[in-house]
Amino acid sequence: MEIISVKEKPEYKDIAIGYFQNKWASKDSLMIYDDCINHCITTKNPLPQWYLLIEGEEIIGCAGLITNDFISRMDLYPWICALFIEEAHRGNSYGALLLEKAKEDAKQGGFAFAYLCTDHIGYYEKYGFHYIGEGYHPWGGSSRIYEVYLG
């Protein structure tokens, strides 16, 4: 099992773009992942980060660490986003591996906390996240916001 940071291994850029687009993008948002992942390689900033979880030759999951996850609480960052584990590999705590990598990189970037927004209740609490309130999306609707101390 290996976690690939596209920032650290830019040769995975095109694979990552395709994977994130397949799992998260709509027809209208394809270029968001293309543009963001392309620019994460060249920025001197610690963010954004995009990760692939690979077992052998197979990508089994992904996640990102970004400045804002399209949520109203722009005073909070960084955000862990786009966590996904392929259905056949769920139930093995592989999501925790990606969460830990994102938390580690956020801490190395000088951040004391990391955040995420989700509609899931009960999953992220197992990994040290605490609910802190609701946030609102530009397209309408809201999501629960969670925080984790990076100690």
Side-chain angles (χ1 to χ4, degrees):
M1 192 84 49
E2 181 180 10
I3 297 175
I4 301 294
S5 163
V6 176
K7 185 185 283 288
E8 295 168 7
K9 293 187 175 184
E11 62 271 22
Y12 283 87
K13 171 185 64 92
D14 292 333
I15 294 166
I17 290 168
Y19 190 81
F20 277 92
Q21 286 175 332
N22 179 266
K23 301 304 173 191
W24 290 105
S26 69
K27 179 183 76 144
D28 296 328
S29 66
L30 289 170
M31 287 308 295
I32 290 173
Y33 292 99
D34 185 287
D35 196 42
C36 189
I37 293 171
N38 269 303
H39 286 95
C40 85
I41 296 164
T42 58
T43 185
K44 292 178 178 35
N45 294 319
L47 303 174
Q49 289 270 1
W50 297 96
Y51 310 106
L52 295 173
L53 181 61
I54 298 177
E55 184 175 47
E57 298 293 316
E58 180 185 8
I59 299 172
I60 64 168
C62 64
L65 182 64
I66 59 177
T67 57
N68 187 277
D69 200 9
F70 304 106
I71 192 111
S72 57
R73 292 297 306 273
M74 294 183 191
D75 58 311
L76 305 175
Y77 57 91
W79 294 83
I80 298 172
C81 71
L83 179 65
F84 180 83
I85 299 295
E86 293 288 344
E87 193 169 337
H89 296 277
R90 293 179 187 167
N92 298 302
S93 298
Y94 292 151
L97 300 174
L98 289 162
L99 290 171
E100 286 304 313
K101 174 65 171 157
K103 287 164 44 176
E104 175 185 307
D105 284 350
K107 186 175 180 178
Q108 286 180 354
F111 299 100
F113 295 90
Y115 303 89
L116 59 82
C117 58
T118 185
D119 294 329
H120 296 289
I121 298 172
Y123 178 78
Y124 294 101
E125 292 89 341
K126 294 187 284 185
Y127 303 109
F129 287 84
H130 304 280
Y131 173 73
I132 62 168
E134 290 290 310
Y136 302 92
H137 299 289
W139 54 84
S142 64
S143 290
R144 296 170 60 86
I145 296 175
Y146 287 83
E147 171 185 81
V148 66
Y149 179 64
L150 303 174

